[in-house]
């Protein structure tokens, strides 16, 4: 893919056009979800539950031998 050179003015115009364009529908849905009080309450409840019920011993589980490659 050949590299095209842009003037600083053209680059600024491109950034301004992209910044002023409306966000895609998926992004709008994500923003609505993150601003929803119910979503925030659920995410807070999940975070608190995981803090309560996940152990803090930092003990690593061993890898099952069937997942390890043969040693040659």
């Amino acid at each position: 893919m050949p590299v095209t050179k842009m003037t600083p003015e053209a680059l600024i115009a491109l950034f301004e056009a992209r910044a002023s364009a409306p966000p895609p529908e998926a992004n709008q849905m994500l923003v609505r979800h993150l601003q929803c009080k119910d979503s925030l309450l659920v995410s807070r409840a999940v975070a608190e539950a995981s803090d309560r019920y996940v152990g803090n011993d930092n003990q690593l589980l061993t890898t099952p031998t069937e997942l390890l490659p043969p040693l040659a």
Side-chain angles (χ1 to χ4, degrees):
M1 177 184 222
V3 177
T4 58
K5 296 197 178 212
M6 295 182 75
T7 64
E9 294 81 15
L11 188 58
I12 290 171
L14 177 65
F15 285 150
E16 287 175 347
R18 296 239 175 135
S20 64
E25 181 66 25
N27 288 356
Q28 292 174 0
M29 288 175 45
L30 180 62
V31 168
R32 283 195 305 269
H33 171 68
L34 293 174
Q35 291 175 342
C36 175
K37 288 183 182 180
D38 291 336
S39 294
L40 295 176
L41 290 173
V42 169
S43 65
R44 186 177 298 125
V46 169
E48 289 173 1
S50 67
D51 286 343
R52 234 178 294 142
Y53 296 110
V54 173
N56 293 327
D57 58 4
N58 294 330
Q59 180 180 1
L60 298 176
L61 299 176
T62 59
T63 306
T65 55
E66 59 270 8
L67 296 178
L68 296 174
L71 292 176

